[in-house]
Amino acid sequence: MIAIRAAAAAKLNLYLHVLGRAANGYHQLDSLVAFASAHDLIEVAPGNGFSLSIQGPFALSLLMEDTDSNLVAKAVKALAAALDRPADLSITLFKNLPVASGIGGGSADAAAALRAVATLWGLEPDDPVLARIAPTLGADVPVCLAGRTAYFAGTGTELTPAPDLPESWVLLVNPGVALSTPQVFAARTGAYSDPGRLDNMPATVADLADALRDRRNDLSMAAQSLAKPVTEALAALEMTPGCLLARMSGSGATCFGLYADADGAVAAGTMISRVRPGWWVQPAALVNDVAAVETVGEGDAIAV
């Protein structure tokens, strides 16, 4: 049986500015979003009815939840309903990324599931039904569905393609704490920011780090006030040789360091893992297109 595989790549907010708050209570955002080669993996195949299997190092917390509350299940059932067909699908989620960690997690999984099922059912990648469903699942799902370096505005659903990033590597570090996005936003204090979009995309990773240093993640201080390990993760990254920039992604708690090459990111990961063996530490390349992430293993699977 042919299965379809899709990468649910880690989403990184290279900067994240909170511009204000709308009358409906939602915060207005401005962010440059990139993706890393570290990823979850979705595999879908025709099934007798609907089933969702979850495997991998971060599967346990999801296995303890009701299947219907999983964003993957919500995504594919919403697509099936929109197409007026049964969700007769066998889906496996290989959960390699930490849960509730600021790197897209469930949103990336939902987007990858939409892409995979669309391919299985013969839909074009730009079919409007996918774009209609994505924002109903969460603010990060549209950018994860697009799967390319982009700016987002509004609540995260207004996307503008960004020029390709220079070749860059990151070290992802999660100190083992989960943060609630609403709680982090509620803890944010101080003035709102202006948009921070770059006039031109820097040509080198060093120049990219310089440009990002003039910007920030406006949720970082709030997250640190709720979880001291976020501060510790940022400090650990800053101490590694070759770290050009250390920053938290999204509402945390995952932080990333920016490096010029793979050797620097791997060496930094080894250094941090020795002193913090309980942390999740993952070197990865920044990718401008999620399709560049290799997702085909052994067997008769097709990657999208």
Side-chain angles (χ1 to χ4, degrees):
M1 180 183 297
I2 295 295
I4 306 295
R5 288 177 176 164
K11 176 226 68 176
L12 298 180
N13 299 93
L14 299 185
Y15 75 81
L16 176 60
H17 289 185
V18 181
L19 309 185
R21 196 167 188 174
N24 61 8
Y26 287 101
H27 289 85
Q28 302 299 300
L29 307 175
D30 171 54
S31 182
L32 174 58
V33 174
F35 294 91
S37 57
H39 62 280
D40 291 339
L41 187 64
I42 293 285
E43 182 174 285
V44 304
N48 295 317
F50 177 84
S51 67
L52 173 61
S53 170
I54 307 174
Q55 305 175 24
F58 292 99
L60 182 59
S61 63
L62 298 181
L63 289 170
M64 296 173 67
E65 299 175 353
D66 179 44
T67 297
D68 288 339
S69 68
N70 189 286
L71 272 181
V72 168
K74 289 182 177 180
V76 299
K77 288 181 179 181
L79 180 58
L83 298 174
D84 194 24
R85 62 181 295 169
D88 291 337
L89 296 162
S90 174
I91 302 179
T92 303
L93 165 60
F94 299 90
K95 192 64 186 168
N96 304 312
L97 303 177
V99 176
S101 61
I103 52 176
S107 296
D109 295 341
L114 287 175
R115 291 198 306 271
V117 174
T119 299
L120 183 68
W121 286 349
L123 300 181
E124 294 296 325
D126 58 352
D127 192 298
V129 70
L130 302 175
R132 288 199 302 270
I133 292 170
T136 70
L137 300 167
D140 280 341
V141 179
V143 74
C144 291
L145 179 65
R148 284 195 56 84
T149 304
Y151 291 102
F152 70 55
T155 58
T157 57
E158 300 169 24
L159 304 182
T160 303
D164 283 356
L165 297 166
E167 184 176 347
S168 311
W169 278 75
V170 290
L171 179 66
L172 307 179
V173 174
N174 185 283
V177 294
L179 283 170
S180 160
T181 297
Q183 287 183 334
V184 174
F185 271 100
R188 192 205 69 83
T189 59
Y192 291 115
S193 296
D194 295 323
R197 298 193 177 190
L198 305 175
D199 293 331
N200 298 289
M201 186 61 71
T204 69
V205 62
D207 290 340
L208 176 63
D210 286 342
L212 293 174
R213 208 169 286 116
D214 293 332
R215 292 151 178 86
R216 63 206 155 271
N217 182 335
D218 284 344
L219 300 179
S220 184
M221 294 306 298
Q224 291 179 67
S225 73
L226 296 171
K228 182 181 177 182
V230 176
T231 304
E232 296 170 350
L234 289 168
L237 285 164
E238 289 170 348
M239 291 177 61
T240 60
C243 181
L244 301 170
L245 178 80
R247 180 153 290 171
M248 187 184 80
S249 180
S251 57
T254 302
C255 300
F256 64 90
L258 189 62
Y259 298 84
D261 52 40
D263 289 344
V266 170
T270 301
M271 179 178 173
I272 291 177
S273 293
R274 284 173 180 162
V275 296
R276 297 285 191 172
W279 287 5
W280 179 72
V281 177
Q282 180 66 58
L286 286 186
V287 295
N288 288 297
D289 190 335
V290 171
V293 178
E294 181 61 53
T295 60
V296 178
E298 295 182 358
D300 52 352
I302 298 173
V304 296

